[in-house]
Structure formats: structure tokens, C-alpha cells
Amino acid sequence: MNKMVGNYILLFLLVTNNPVSAWVTWYSSTHHDTNTTPGAGAGDSNEINHQTEDTTSIPGELDILRLLNVTGASPGVSEVLGPSAHLPAYKFRPGYNNVLVPGPGAIAAALTAPAGFTLLFVYRQHRKSLGTLLSVHSPGRVTPWFQATSNLRTGQLVLHYRVTSDSKLHQNSWALQQQQPVPVQHPPRGNGIPPTETKKGNGWTYLALVYNASSSTLTLYLDCQTPKEQPVAGNTGSGTLGFHIPQDALVYFRQEPGFKKKFLGSMQVAKIKSYPVSRKDIGWSCNPIP
């Protein structure tokens, strides 16, 4: 009997200490699941194939603020009133340095998903500041594999990235000047922002950057402006163009490694979806629709 009990204990320890099992359990059942949160082993970026064609192994949505467990009690963070009454919003000060996002492999998989991806941010940035929204680097490497920066000094959103067809660092940029009216959020369609109304000129930016792999285009949806579409740079050759992120990459929120280009301001939404969203599902509505 003692030997049988000992075998059960050994089996239990082997299962609970196996990060692959925990990773697959969370990872394989969350396609388009807006309530995804990582389980044990989610921080191991080597347990997935970032270029996989099996879309069921890619999380549908990743909430960066939830992954970092941001609260008003976090050092360098205070809770503020955001445009949506149904979601908390946080003001980030220079002292907030919890910037390495857990589960970098899941984020890399979402950014290299076969159909494309969507970056979604709702934020209010300090005037004339340069702030990183999301940045992906290999350990010890300063040059990013993927980086989205909100530059209010030049009034541009800048995206740096690498594609699978060449080794160059490419760049696209869009004007960030706000136009009125600001959005009015509609009831979510399973993956939108909770409904509320926003005040005119309140300084919050609604931003969605959508990559559609089928057309190799990047489209910026900004507040109530007309969508701005640009082709993805890089020599596509005869194959399908895709973004390149190695398996050892680390994901940084609000800054680059070394506390550079630190975002200062408030944020209510910071999400990555592993599929391109359409205009009607972007998360907010405008009247008239641009």
C-alpha cells in the first residue's frame, strides 16, 4: 500500500511540474476567447511554434494589463477615470517598471498568426512625449523584432518590424492628429470594448492597428478618422508574407529594454488579437461611420 501511495505522489509531481501540459491546456482552447488568462507554464516561450499553421493553438485575445496584473496598488500606478465606466483605467508614472509581459510565446504566436493580428489600445498620453506601446526583443538585443511607438513629438504612430522574407528592419508610420468627434462605444460583439459614452475632447485616443495577411496590408483605425491602409514593406517573393519573431523573444510593455522610450500617461485597453478585425467589430462606433 505504501508503495502504491508513493507511486501516485510521484505521478502527481511529474504532472504538476510539466510546463508543457499546463501550456497546452490553456493554449489550445482559447481561439477568439476574450477571457483568456495564462495558466502555469505560460511564461515559457519555447513551448510553441510561432509560425504554426494550426490556428487552434493560438490564443484569440491577450489582455496585457491583465497579464501584468496591473492594479491601482501597483508601484508607480494609480487608478483613474477612463472613457469606459465598465473598465478600470490606470495612470502610469516613471516609477512603474514591471514591463516584461508574462507568456511572451503566446504574444509572439498572436503576432505571427496566419490570418493576421489586431493591436488595440485606448490611452491618454502626456503631450509631446515619446512612448512605446509594445516592443519585442531578443535577450540582450536593442534592435526590436517588432515595436509600436506613439510619438507625440512628431505626431506619428510608428511600427517597426521584420518579415520572414528578409532580415531588414522595416517601418510604417501614420499621423496621430485627433479629429472630432471622439468615438461613442457600442455594446461589444463578443470581443469589443464595453459600452459607454466619451466626452468631446477628453484626450483619450482609440487606436486599432490591423494586419490582414491575405492582402499584406496594415490598417490604422484612429478615433473617428477614415481608416488609413498601407502595404507591409519587404520583399514577399512568391510566398506569403509574415512577421518574423524568434522563439527567444521577450515582450516589453510601455518601453524598450533599458527603460527607454517610456510611455507616460493613462491606459484603459491594451490588447492583442490573433486575427484581423473588421470595421464593424473594432470596438467603438462613429456616426457617421468613416
Side-chain angles (χ1 to χ4, degrees), residues 64-83:
I64 296 173
L65 298 179
R66 289 181 62 188
L67 288 172
L68 286 168
N69 195 27
V70 176
T71 69
S74 303
V77 179
S78 56
E79 192 163 341
V80 297
L81 182 64

Side-chain angles (χ1 to χ4, degrees), residues 9 15 19 34 37 41 46 50 52 61 84 110 141 147-148 154 163 218 223 241-242 273:
I9 294 174
V15 172
T34 61
T37 54
N46 295 318
H50 300 307
T52 179
E61 178 180 291
S84 173
R141 186 186 181 102
Q147 183 181 80
T154 61
V163 295
L218 287 157
D223 297 331
L241 181 66
K273 300 176 186 290

